[in-house]
Amino acid sequence: MLPKPATTTDLAPTGKGWGEARPDAPPRYPGGHRHSAQYGIYYHGGPIMTGTTAIYYVYYGTWSASQKTILEDFGATIGGSPYFNINTTYWGTNNTPVANSVRLGATTADNYSQGTSLSPASILTIVQTAIDNGSLPMDPNGVYFVIASPDVDMYGFCTAYCGWHNNETVGTTDLKYAFVEDSDRCPSKCAGQQGVSPNGDTGVDGAINIIAHELEESVTDPDGNAWYDGLGRESADKCIWKFGSTYAAPNGSVANMHLGARDYLIQENWTNALGMGCRLAW
């Protein structure tokens, strides 16, 4: 049984990389079994995602078959990797950690059903429509990524953030979803590198880096009340644009991770354990 909450209240995360003061922001739990405040990030009592996490993609706009293959290869190989294993250093109220287990669920396409100028509310509508029409299942253990092509505008994209995640209770299901865009819309802001990228598509490779970021925050802080620091930064926020040790991929680009048959350039993630810090593997 966890001790009673401490009185320290941190800025609450927004899912977009920064925190804000909210009257309903939960206090930290004090140091204790599996919830020590010694590692630069704090537990606030909320749920995490345990068991196998499913990734669902909604390809919004115009996407080629080759681009979809790159994205789906990443979704099919991130689970079980030394990189995703970093998330196992995060625990919930029952002392069960995030599992190093991810599967690629279903994918579907959306041909601009909400137009080319989106709002955050549009993203939930897109996901709910895909579920309602049977294209995707309703899965409480899933994270639904709406991935937009670079001709789509989202207020704040490229200027305030490169992606975000959120949740909404739909019926009795806590639905976790995220927005990411092909980084060719603003490669100088949202791509890890310009020019040649590991899989020969700068926009898709840049999007994969952000997908990894939002995925690890979704499993460690799905509802915005679990793991984050005093500034409201979630696990991946603490390591944004830090890539660690890199190597030359076969096509001459820069990479730092090999998953399945592909190379990627993916940011580090915060390790919630002794030797805390940004890492590429645990």
Side-chain angles (χ1 to χ4, degrees), residues 57 59 62-75 147-150 180-185 187 190-193 195 197-212 262-266:
Y57 289 148
Y59 297 113
T62 303
W63 293 89
S64 70
S66 61
Q67 290 177 315
K68 293 178 182 178
T69 297
I70 298 169
L71 287 158
E72 290 166 23
D73 284 350
F74 171 75
I147 314 174
S149 53
V180 177
E181 188 162 342
D182 183 311
S183 66
D184 277 350
R185 185 168 180 84
C190 292
Q193 61 185 308
S197 64
N199 293 288
D201 190 310
T202 310
V204 170
D205 277 316
I208 285 173
N209 175 52
I210 304 302
I211 289 171
R262 295 185 182 275
D263 294 292
Y264 302 96
L265 183 66
I266 297 175

Side-chain angles (χ1 to χ4, degrees), residues 9-12 28 40 42 44 228-233:
T9 300
D10 301 307
L11 294 180
R28 300 177 192 172
Y42 310 109
H44 295 79
Y228 52 92
D229 69 12
L231 297 176
R233 296 177 301 180

Side-chain angles (χ1 to χ4, degrees), residues 49-67:
M49 296 183 71
T50 58
T52 298
T53 298
I55 294 176
Y56 297 99
Y57 289 148
V58 179
Y59 297 113
Y60 191 88
T62 303
W63 293 89
S64 70
S66 61
Q67 290 177 315

